[in-house]
């Protein structure tokens, strides 16, 4: 909880903090709605998501004949939580316990979003929970990406399967799964390329990696996580659509949430992409990853 609180500190101070003043007066008038909209859009929820939330709140205010601003605040809290719950509350594959190991997680996203760091953080968290983890360095396009993953692998203490630069990413994925099978590892996490300048090639490459994984295990990947850089706000949504169109993304990791006042993007992800946020990045260190919890998130913003 403390981690979420710290991660949304900028968003809270920058935008949601202003709610305090709005709700300080016991009653309210119609200007409240414009001010609320401004606050939500400022935090990068996007116009569509902000309107949806506020329409729902306003309807309930009308229906209940609400006069007290404290009640409006409660309704706003409920509707913000409801938006985050829209994608449904199916737990992630690693929390369900219905997957025969190895559980395969494919990780996609543009370069710089925080993919490699996120993979290291996840590996660290799973390992801490007692799982054996193997990483696959399937971004063979950038030699630096493989090197970086190896460095993290050493730091975290997990094995990294890698090939030469320029090798077939599908082959890396295949070998990583094979290594996981023979060593009876619990979890496989596969890093992928994220170069945007050759977008169509990249999407074909990701589809191929996905196919290779499915050929080995038709039920895999059990999760395909898209890492988004929270500091890019609404631009991240556009990027996300490119990826969700190519591979079946099952969830989002919102990296660098600690570095932005635009944390409202989490609401747009839920409402416009219909995808659950699985984790939030709360800093640059191994431990700076927190599971995403809608109630905790909203309560930290409104604190
Ligand atoms: P990749 O190219 O997508 O693999 O991105 P990296 O994992 O190399 O991360 C890019 C930069 O973002 C690095 O400097 C990371 O330390 C930093 N970074 C990643 N996640 C977070 C986070 O949650 N918070 C902060 N503050 N920085 C992060």
């Amino acid at each position: 909880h403390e981690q979420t609180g710290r991660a949304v500190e900028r968003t809270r101070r920058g935008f949601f903090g202003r709610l305090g003043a709005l709700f300080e007066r016991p009653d309210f008038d119609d200007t409240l709605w414009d001010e609320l909209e401004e606050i939500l859009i400022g935090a990068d929820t996007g116009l569509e998501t902000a309107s949806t939330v506020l329409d729902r709140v306003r309807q309930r205010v009308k229906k209940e004949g609400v006069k007290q601003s404290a009640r409006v605040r409660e309704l706003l809290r409920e509707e913000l939580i409801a938006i985050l719950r829209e994608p449904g509350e199916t737990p992630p594959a690693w929390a369900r316990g219905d997957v025969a190991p190895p559980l395969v997680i494919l990780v996609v996203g543009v370069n710089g979003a925080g993919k490699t760091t996120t993979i290291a953080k996840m590996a660290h968290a799973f390992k801490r929970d007692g799982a054996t983890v193997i990483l696959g360095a399937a971004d063979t396009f950038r030699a630096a990406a493989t090197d970086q993953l190896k460095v993290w692998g050493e730091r975290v203490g997990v094995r990294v399967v890698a090939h030469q630069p320029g090798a077939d990413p599908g082959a890396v994925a295949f070998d990583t799964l094979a290594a996981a099978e023979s060593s009876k590892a619990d979890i496989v996490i596969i890093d992928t390329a994220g170069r945007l300048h050759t977008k169509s090639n990249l999407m074909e490459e990701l589809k191929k990696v996905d196919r290779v994984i499915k050929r080995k295990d038709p039920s895999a990947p059990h999760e395909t996580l898209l890492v988004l850089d929270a500091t890019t706000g609404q631009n991240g949504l556009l990027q996300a659509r490119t990826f969700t169109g190519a591979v079946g993304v099952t969830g989002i990791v919102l990296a660098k949430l600690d570095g932005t006042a635009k944390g409202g993007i989490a609401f747009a992800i839920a409402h416009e992409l219909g995808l659950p946020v699985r984790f939030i990045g709360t800093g640059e260190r191994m431990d700076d990853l927190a599971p995403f919890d809608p109630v905790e998130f909203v309560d930290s913003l409104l604190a």
Side-chain angles (χ1 to χ4, degrees):
H1 184 87
E2 205 184 302
Q3 234 178 337
T4 304
R6 262 186 288 115
V8 301
E9 182 58 22
R10 284 187 186 206
T11 306
R12 193 185 63 74
R13 255 190 302 160
F15 295 96
F16 285 81
R18 287 165 51 197
L19 291 174
L22 282 189
F23 292 126
E24 230 161 52
R25 290 178 36 201
D27 50 0
F28 64 94
D29 58 40
D30 271 349
T31 61
L32 175 71
W33 306 110
D34 287 340
E35 295 184 70
L36 286 177
E37 186 173 61
E38 198 191 307
I39 287 171
L40 292 180
I41 291 173
D44 241 359
T45 61
L47 181 61
E48 152 67 22
T49 304
S51 307
T52 303
V53 172
L54 293 178
D55 283 351
R56 290 176 187 169
V57 175
R58 205 161 7 182
Q59 267 171 29
R60 292 179 65 186
V61 162
K62 225 167 151 186
K63 207 168 134 205
E64 289 182 23
V66 174
K67 297 277 183 300
Q68 305 269 299
S69 68
R71 179 64 187 150
V72 181
R73 188 185 183 281
E74 274 172 25
L75 294 175
L76 177 66
R77 174 182 178 271
E78 287 177 20
E79 292 304 332
L80 286 171
I81 292 170
I83 285 274
L84 295 176
R85 286 180 171 160
E86 271 178 11
E89 292 197 86
T90 319
W94 54 84
R96 288 200 305 265
D98 60 356
V99 176
L103 186 145
V104 182
I105 304 171
L106 183 64
V107 182
V108 301
V110 300
N111 289 339
K115 224 175 338 141
T116 315
T117 313
T118 297
I119 290 170
K121 291 172 178 178
M122 287 197 297
H124 174 63
F126 291 136
K127 194 182 165 207
R128 202 180 41 202
D129 290 345
T132 40
V133 182
I134 294 191
L135 307 183
D139 181 358
T140 58
F141 190 77
R142 290 185 308 160
T146 297
D147 292 344
Q148 202 195 345
L149 198 67
K150 282 183 183 163
V151 169
W152 272 116
E154 241 165 70
R155 236 183 265 169
V156 176
V158 298
R159 187 171 157 199
V160 178
V161 174
H163 288 190
Q164 293 306 310
D168 174 18
V172 176
F174 185 92
D175 284 358
T176 312
L177 264 64
E181 264 170 33
S182 61
S183 66
K184 300 211 180 339
D186 300 305
I187 299 183
V188 169
I189 310 177
I190 296 180
D191 189 18
T192 59
R195 55 186 190 280
L196 257 196
H197 55 281
T198 53
K199 201 157 52 180
S200 66
N201 288 348
L202 173 62
M203 295 308 148
E204 287 313 310
E205 177 177 320
L206 296 179
K207 281 188 209 172
K208 190 180 166 201
V209 171
D210 187 61
R211 279 200 302 273
V212 169
I213 293 171
K214 284 188 166 58
R215 219 176 296 140
K216 197 113 180 60
D217 176 357
S219 73
H222 304 95
E223 292 277 343
T224 299
L225 299 181
L226 170 64
V227 179
L228 287 182
D229 178 343
T231 66
T232 63
Q234 287 285 315
N235 282 335
L237 281 198
L238 281 176
Q239 252 173 44
R241 290 186 202 282
T242 311
F243 283 93
T244 53
V247 284
V249 175
T250 60
I252 302 289
V253 179
L254 202 49
K256 309 187 204 177
L257 193 58
D258 56 302
T260 184
K262 297 177 171 182
I265 192 67
F267 298 100
I269 289 167
H271 184 60
E272 292 189 44
L273 297 178
L275 287 170
V277 176
R278 292 307 194 192
F279 289 111
I280 54 174
T282 64
E284 295 189 90
R285 295 166 310 137
M286 224 188 277
D287 284 309
D288 295 334
L289 186 77
F292 181 79
D293 177 74
V295 174
E296 204 172 277
F297 185 77
V298 170
D299 282 342
S300 298
L301 285 177
L302 300 182

